[in-house]
Structure formats: C-alpha cells, structure tokens
Amino acid sequence: MFYAVVLAGGSGTRFWPKSRRHQPKQLLDILGTSPLIKQTLDRLEGLFTPEKILVVTQAEQVESLRRHIELPDENILTEPEARNTAAAIGLAALEIQRRLASDAVMAVLPSDHHITDPDVFLKTLLIAKEVARQNYLVAIGIRPRYPETGYGYIELGEPLSDIGYQGIYRVKSFVEKPNMTRAAQFISAGSHLWNSGTFIWRIETFLEALRRHLPKLYAGLKQIEQAQMEPSVLAQIYPALPQISVDYGVLERADNRAVVVGDYGWSDVGSWAALGELLEKDEWGNVKRGEVVQLDCSQSILYSDQALIAAIGLHEMIVVSSGDAVLICPREKAQEVRKLVEQLEKRNLSQYL
Amino acid sequence: MFYAVVLAGGSGTRFWPKSRRHQPKQLLDILGTSPLIKQTLDRLEGLFTPEKILVVTQAEQVESLRRHIELPDENILTEPEARNTAAAIGLAALEIQRRLASDAVMAVLPSDHHITDPDVFLKTLLIAKEVARQNYLVAIGIRPRYPETGYGYIELGEPLSDIGYQGIYRVKSFVEKPNMTRAAQFISAGSHLWNSGTFIWRIETFLEALRRHLPKLYAGLKQIEQAQMEPSVLAQIYPALPQISVDYGVLERADNRAVVVGDYGWSDVGSWAALGELLEKDEWGNVKRGEVVQLDCSQSILYSDQALIAAIGLHEMIVVSSGDAVLICPREKAQEVRKLVEQLEKRNLSQYL
C-alpha cells in the first residue's frame, strides 16, 4: 500500500499581497494555470487513487481548500492550528495506520511546489518507495543549480547500490539553511543536494523514529489516535504539541536515512522572484501578467490581478498589484516580503492580511 | 482696471494616473489641501473681485471645472478645443476689451502652479502692473534654484530703475528649454531667470503685439469678436487658429519686454518628482500619502488614493496608485510619464486615460 500525504497548512506570506490569510499560496493560481495544490493532486493521479491521498491543513484554511480540490471529506485532516510538519505528518501516519490493518508506505509532499516533469517525479517516488521498504527514512534531494541560502541541504553519504538504481545514497547529514560561503562550497564540492521537503517512509519506520526522537509529540498524537481522532480531543491536545519541523525533530537525529536524487524540474516557488524562472519572459527578460505597460524595464516581474501596472525604467524589480494592495521591491529582496507582512500585523492593518 | 485671466486648459499628463482626461492636473488636490485651480483663485481674492477673474478652459473640461470653482458663468471662456496659449490669451483679451470701454491691464496666470507666499505674489503682480502701464509685455521670472531643463528661461537685460522698485529688468531674450550644460551656465552666470508663465500687460499692448507677430491668429480672433463671441462662430474659427504658445509666438519676437523677479516660493508642480519639494518627508526623506508601509526606502514618493502601497528597498523612486492603475518609476524619469500615456493611447487602453 502506498499513500500520499500532502501538507497544505502553510500560509505563504512570501506571496503577499496575492496570498492572504484565507488564500494561502497553495490555493493560488500563481503560474496562470491552476492552484498549486490542484497541480500537486493532479500530478499524483497516475500513482494514487483519491482514497490513497490525504491532505493535512489547518482549520482556518479548510473551507477555502475544499473549494479547490475533490477528495473524500474524510481524507482532509484538519489541524486545529498549525504545529509545523512533525505533528502534521505524525497525525497523518497514525490516521493511515488506523484505517489499515496491513503495513503501508507514505509519501509526504508539499502542496505548493512546481514540477515540470511529472512522469519522472512519479518514477522517483516509486524508486524511493523501494528504498523505504528497507526501513530507510527517504528524502528526495535536488541537484543544486545555484548557492541558494533559503533551503536546507542534504549531505551525501555512500551510494546504496544494492537497490538497483542510480542516484540513491545514504545521508551523512541534514544541514539547515547555510550562509552564502557554505552554500557555494556545497555546490563546488558536489557533496550536497537541496532538501525538497518530499519524504517517503514506511509508516512504522516513521512512527518508531517519532517515538524515539520526539517522545512527547508522539505521546500526544497517540492519545488523539486512541480517542479515535475525536475532534474535541484533537482540539484539546494538538495545539499543545511541540512545534517542530520533521527535518529538525526527526531527520537530523535519525540514522537510517537515505536520499534519492530527483531530476524532474523542481521549484519550491519560494517567492515572487521564482516567477522569473518559471514563466515566459519578454525580449528584455520581463515576466508580465495582467495589464502592463512599460518603458525601459528589464529583468523585472510585473504582475497584476486587475489594476494596470505602468512602469518606467525598472531593473530587476518586482511589482505585484493584487486586490487592495500593491507591492514594490527589488528581486533580491523578495524574501523580505515576510517582514512587511509582519509589519502589517504590528500596525493593525489586518484587513490587508 | 486690472483683470486676471487664468489658463485652465492643460491636460497635465505628467500626473497620470491621478490626472485623467476628465480630471486634469489643475482640478486635482495633489498636495492634499484643495485643487490647484481653487488655490489659484483663492490666492487672487485679495486683489481681484470675481467679476474681474476670467478662466479659459477647453470644452472637454468645462463641466468638471464648474464643480470646483465659483465664478459667474460668463467668466468661464470655453475653447472648442485647446489651441495653446497665444489663442487662449488673445480670446480673453478681446473678451475683456469687449466688456470695457476703458483701458485695462490683464494678468495671465497658470491654473496649476503652487505658491507658498501669496502676499508677496500679489505685491509682485501690482508692481508688474505698474511696469505694464508703460507699455511693456511683462513676465514674472523666478531666480533658478537648480539647472532645470524642463523650463524656458528669461535672459536679463538692463535694470528698469525708473519704476522705483528692485528686481525689474528689460528682457534680452526668451530662451526655450536649454540642455543641461546651458542651464548650468545660466545659473552660474546669474544671467537668467525661470519663465514662470505668468504675464502682465495692457490689453492694448498685447493685442498690438499679437496683430504684429501673429497676424493670422489675430485676424481669426477679431472675426470671433465681431460676431459677439457667438458660439457657432467660435466653434467654426477657433479650431483652425495657429496653435502656438505666447512665449514663442509673441514674447520671443517682441521688443518691449520686461521681467519682474518673483520671490514667492513658486513651483510649477511639474511632475510627481516635485512633490519631493512640496510635501513633508519622513526621516528617510520619503513623501507618503495614503496607506503606506515600507522597509528600507529613502527619498521616494509613495502616493496612494486607496490601495495599500507596500515598498521594500526603494531609493529615489516614485510609486503612485490611483484608481485602476499604478505607476512605478525612478524620480529622475518622472517626465517620461507622458510617454507612457502616449503608449496607452496607441495601445487602445483609453479606459485608463
């Protein structure tokens, strides 16, 4: 049995002003095709029937989510509030275990990434599933294209050649976001992969690791499971669970770890700057969406829902007009949009969140 | 008798997207106080009764104009279409002559400039009136503060000391917009003033100059006058009049010219960049209007009617959100907003004009 668990609880403040509190990044049609979560689910269709796909989201977003996806109601797991990935994945693992008598493998997938080659993606999942059957905690790693400081990295250990495929390694270490110097070293050495946030493991392997490395979190989740996932118990216990990522709480501490190289055109669509890689450009390197007029602009992202964007002399800038707000920032500062959103919270401008 | 003629026919495309076809610059409350035309008329109150104030505008704008000003209907002269300043001033001169048996002086005033010291302004007009009585075509000149290439300049001749005031000179020449090198020379030499577009002359002096230097235009206007300014005659003849500025058509060619120095805090509010001089700044030199949040911005103009402007890392930039459009450009390119407006025309995006 092979299950897919899609994590859809993120708020994606880096895509403000298009992403809002009730319209997080995964529900947005940022690339002009369909919402990222829908793309994620469509991509899984070749390998998973709808009953085998679970989505974990937070209560605040569940209503908007239902509008975008077609899944059996019982396959949407609702966190009373977001408690980071270890809790969300643990909840899903116990839910799958509860439904099944037999053993199963689960793939944990972000809901808001972009993949250009879905076939290779699915093949990679199948290979990772075979590795997971041997009791590894498996991550999909991406060959780094540039020294990104916004990602975690996976240090390659010895190849696991007995599985019969190329590109499978033991993991030497999981590395949290490095600085630029270190990231550049990783790349020139060829020793590290980007951590794509996609994981594959046997439910039993994972729950055992959770029990060992995050015993409090595990105990809390078991209480919820023993109450048959009863919503009132969930609402009482879940919000008090340790808030920790699966990378930091489990993977950095475990030893039975493997990585499978994924070569399927991956992007985490991490900020407005990413659109420069994913969308078509005009002859001056500008990405334009919506009504745009420009003079002497280059390498800029000009993105509008509705209003006309009129730009003169912009270079490597981002302009996003969405609803009642407009964002202007240099491409290299795209990550700082988060800080602006924090400022809106502080200044009680929550109508814009 | 002293009349004021306010020229209110400009379209002010440099303030797009706030200025639109039916909402030209002079009708806008750009400085957050009241529309520029209203400020212009209020300023004249100390010296002119309403019957002595004429406003010349074009048919397309007369309705919006009436909503902003309180003047007798017959004191709003409507051009069937804009034909530049020589025609507009000539029309007003003949209208005043028609109403009066006796001789009069007229002051010609732009409707969309800003003046910080109205008292000094009115005193300057009174001095200029005395000079005009001696049959001079009088311009008000402003001591240049920087080498602006967007203005015309007035080259100073010998002082006219017999009038009894400082700061009155014969004019050696009117100079059209110079390049930067020349503008810088004018300033270092102290030989030139900015042409503020404010003129004072006896109606007879002006009509005589018009007759001599623009005989066709004069003849056309006389035909209109002889038909008692009958609208059907106006509509037939006026649109065919030579389209020429009073500076180029009359002042550059005349010889009885004088200039009075005006020191009353003048600004032509010529583009969005001018707001940097006229409005209060925050501690980083940013001018902000409307709902604005910013991180690491300096020397920028962030101006919104309605939408939230959220800006990161902008330096010497202009952002204007007004209605259904948003403009982004470097301060030094503020003059190029015109070109954008031309592009909107070409691309049939007239809903934004």
Side-chain angles (χ1 to χ4, degrees):
Chain A
M1 298 294 253
F2 196 16
Y3 273 77
V5 172
V6 175
L7 303 180
S11 58
T13 51
R14 284 174 292 183
F15 275 90
W16 186 89
K18 195 161 169 68
S19 68
R20 303 285 175 113
R21 195 173 276 167
H22 295 282
Q23 196 67 12
K25 176 189 161 202
Q26 59 271 21
L27 301 187
L28 297 180
D29 175 14
I30 286 186
L31 303 174
T33 44
S34 61
L36 291 168
I37 177 103
K38 184 144 190 336
Q39 289 180 39
T40 298
L41 296 175
D42 288 350
R43 196 185 295 142
L44 295 172
E45 261 181 13
L47 204 53
F48 301 89
T49 56
E51 314 84 70
K52 296 272 177 49
I53 300 175
L54 270 65
V55 176
V56 188
T57 190
Q58 38 170 322
E60 206 176 32
Q61 296 173 8
V62 69
E63 234 182 281
S64 318
L65 183 72
R66 274 186 215 278
R67 260 179 270 131
H68 288 87
I69 65 173
E70 292 164 20
L71 273 187
D73 266 11
E74 67 271 20
N75 282 19
I76 299 178
L77 304 186
T78 305
E79 305 170 276
E81 61 177 63
R83 297 305 289 174
N84 213 329
T85 51
I89 298 168
L91 186 73
L94 286 168
E95 173 66 19
I96 295 169
Q97 200 183 48
R98 204 170 72 91
R99 294 188 190 182
L100 288 172
S102 64
D103 188 31
V105 174
M106 70 193 282
V108 176
L109 308 150
S111 58
D112 56 358
H113 290 181
H114 184 259
I115 281 166
T116 53
D117 195 337
D119 288 340
V120 175
F121 169 71
L122 295 181
K123 277 182 206 151
T124 309
L125 286 189
L126 285 174
I127 293 169
K129 183 185 158 197
E130 290 192 44
V131 184
R133 283 264 166 238
Q134 303 192 12
N135 291 327
Y136 286 102
L137 298 167
V138 184
I140 308 286
I142 309 292
R143 291 213 187 282
R145 297 187 292 269
Y146 49 89
E148 171 67 55
T149 58
Y151 297 157
Y153 283 73
I154 299 171
E155 188 181 6
L156 296 172
E158 63 203 61
L160 280 172
S161 41
D162 56 325
I163 314 272
Y165 296 96
Q166 295 282 312
I168 309 174
Y169 303 84
R170 281 184 178 277
V171 170
K172 211 175 209 169
S173 67
F174 279 82
V175 183
E176 291 194 80
K177 297 174 185 177
N179 62 25
M180 182 57 80
T181 317
R182 260 189 107 203
Q185 282 166 356
F186 292 170
I187 293 199
S188 62
S191 54
H192 290 70
L193 302 177
W194 284 341
N195 180 353
S196 72
T198 299
F199 308 113
I200 300 93
W201 42 57
R202 285 178 60 235
I203 299 227
E204 283 183 10
T205 312
F206 177 70
L207 287 175
E208 174 54 26
L210 203 61
R211 193 189 60 75
R212 189 193 295 182
H213 301 295
L214 295 172
K216 267 196 193 166
L217 193 150
Y218 179 79
L221 288 174
K222 280 302 271 186
Q223 267 188 281
I224 295 168
E225 185 217 10
Q226 275 150 21
Q228 311 297 317
M229 302 286 181
E230 166 65 34
S232 65
V233 178
L234 186 71
Q236 194 199 329
I237 294 172
Y238 198 89
L241 294 179
Q243 192 157 21
I244 190 166
S245 74
V246 74
D247 308 63
Y248 185 69
V250 178
L251 294 168
E252 289 190 16
R253 301 167 189 183
D255 44 22
N256 53 332
R257 306 167 302 186
V259 61
V260 172
V261 178
D263 185 18
Y264 40 73
W266 172 85
S267 164
D268 76 335
V269 199
S271 74
W272 285 113
L275 298 200
E277 289 180 25
L278 297 172
L279 294 179
E280 210 190 330
K281 292 169 192 151
D282 71 12
E283 52 191 306
W284 303 282
N286 301 305
V287 169
K288 294 180 285 187
R289 274 285 179 279
E291 203 78 273
V292 174
V293 292
Q294 61 93 11
L295 280 176
D296 303 328
C297 293
S298 62
Q299 307 298 332
S300 291
I301 291 162
L302 307 169
Y303 190 110
S304 175
D305 281 351
Q306 223 172 344
L308 171 72
I309 292 177
I312 303 174
L314 302 187
H315 301 287
E316 303 198 343
M317 294 286 291
I318 295 167
V319 179
V320 180
S321 167
S322 184
D324 54 5
V326 53
L327 165 75
I328 309 97
C329 79
R331 272 174 86 142
E332 58 176 19
K333 304 228 171 173
Q335 300 290 344
E336 295 188 19
V337 173
R338 281 175 175 208
K339 292 190 199 161
L340 263 190
V341 172
E342 284 166 26
Q343 202 183 121
L344 291 175
E345 278 164 10
K346 272 186 214 141
R347 283 181 50 188
N348 278 326
L349 292 167
S350 59
Q351 70 267 38
Y352 298 108
L353 293 176
Chain B
M1 298 292 253
F2 197 17
Y3 273 77
V5 172
V6 175
L7 303 180
S11 59
T13 51
R14 283 173 294 183
F15 275 91
W16 186 89
K18 196 161 168 69
S19 67
R20 304 283 176 114
R21 194 175 275 166
H22 296 282
Q23 196 66 14
K25 177 189 161 201
Q26 59 271 21
L27 301 186
L28 297 179
D29 175 16
I30 285 185
L31 303 174
T33 44
S34 62
L36 291 168
I37 178 103
K38 185 146 190 334
Q39 290 181 39
T40 298
L41 296 174
D42 288 351
R43 197 184 293 141
L44 295 172
E45 263 182 13
L47 203 53
F48 301 89
T49 56
E51 315 84 69
K52 297 270 177 50
I53 301 175
L54 270 64
V55 176
V56 187
T57 190
Q58 39 170 321
E60 205 177 30
Q61 295 173 8
V62 69
E63 235 182 279
S64 317
L65 183 72
R66 274 187 214 278
R67 261 179 268 130
H68 287 88
I69 65 173
E70 294 163 18
L71 273 187
D73 265 11
E74 67 272 20
N75 281 19
I76 300 178
L77 304 187
T78 306
E79 305 169 276
E81 62 177 64
R83 297 304 289 173
N84 213 328
T85 52
I89 298 167
L91 186 73
L94 285 169
E95 173 66 19
I96 295 168
Q97 198 184 49
R98 205 169 72 89
R99 293 188 191 180
L100 286 173
S102 63
D103 188 32
V105 175
M106 71 193 281
V108 175
L109 309 150
S111 59
D112 56 357
H113 290 181
H114 183 259
I115 281 166
T116 53
D117 196 337
D119 289 340
V120 175
F121 168 70
L122 295 181
K123 276 183 207 151
T124 308
L125 286 189
L126 285 174
I127 293 169
K129 184 184 158 197
E130 289 193 45
V131 184
R133 283 262 166 240
Q134 302 192 12
N135 292 329
Y136 286 103
L137 298 168
V138 185
I140 308 285
I142 310 291
R143 290 212 187 282
R145 298 187 292 271
Y146 49 87
E148 171 67 54
T149 58
Y151 297 156
Y153 284 73
I154 299 171
E155 187 181 6
L156 296 172
E158 62 202 58
L160 279 172
S161 42
D162 56 324
I163 315 273
Y165 295 97
Q166 295 282 312
I168 309 175
Y169 302 84
R170 280 183 178 278
V171 170
K172 213 177 210 168
S173 67
F174 279 82
V175 183
E176 291 194 80
K177 297 172 185 177
N179 62 25
M180 182 56 82
T181 317
R182 261 188 105 202
Q185 282 166 358
F186 292 170
I187 294 200
S188 62
S191 55
H192 290 70
L193 303 177
W194 284 340
N195 180 351
S196 71
T198 299
F199 308 113
I200 299 93
W201 40 57
R202 284 179 58 233
I203 301 234
E204 283 182 11
T205 312
F206 178 69
L207 288 176
E208 174 54 25
L210 203 59
R211 193 188 60 76
R212 189 191 299 183
H213 302 295
L214 296 172
K216 268 194 194 168
L217 192 149
Y218 179 78
L221 289 173
K222 281 300 272 186
Q223 268 187 279
I224 295 168
E225 185 217 11
Q226 275 150 22
Q228 311 297 316
M229 302 284 180
E230 168 63 35
S232 66
V233 178
L234 186 71
Q236 195 201 328
I237 294 173
Y238 199 88
L241 293 180
Q243 192 157 20
I244 192 166
S245 74
V246 75
D247 308 61
Y248 185 68
V250 178
L251 294 168
E252 289 190 15
R253 302 168 187 183
D255 44 21
N256 53 332
R257 304 167 304 185
V259 60
V260 172
V261 179
D263 185 17
Y264 40 74
W266 173 85
S267 165
D268 77 335
V269 199
S271 75
W272 285 111
L275 299 199
E277 288 180 25
L278 296 172
L279 294 178
E280 209 189 333
K281 292 171 191 145
D282 71 11
E283 52 190 307
W284 302 281
N286 302 306
V287 169
K288 293 180 286 187
R289 275 284 178 281
E291 202 77 272
V292 174
V293 293
Q294 61 92 12
L295 280 175
D296 303 328
C297 292
S298 62
Q299 308 298 331
S300 291
I301 291 163
L302 307 170
Y303 190 109
S304 175
D305 280 351
Q306 222 172 345
L308 170 72
I309 292 177
I312 303 174
L314 302 188
H315 301 286
E316 303 197 344
M317 293 286 289
I318 295 169
V319 179
V320 180
S321 167
S322 184
D324 54 5
V326 54
L327 166 76
I328 309 98
C329 79
R331 272 174 86 142
E332 57 176 20
K333 304 228 172 175
Q335 300 290 343
E336 295 189 20
V337 173
R338 281 174 176 212
K339 292 190 200 163
L340 265 189
V341 172
E342 283 166 25
Q343 202 182 122
L344 291 175
E345 278 165 10
K346 273 186 214 141
R347 283 182 49 188
N348 278 324
L349 293 166
S350 58
Q351 69 267 37
Y352 298 108
L353 293 176

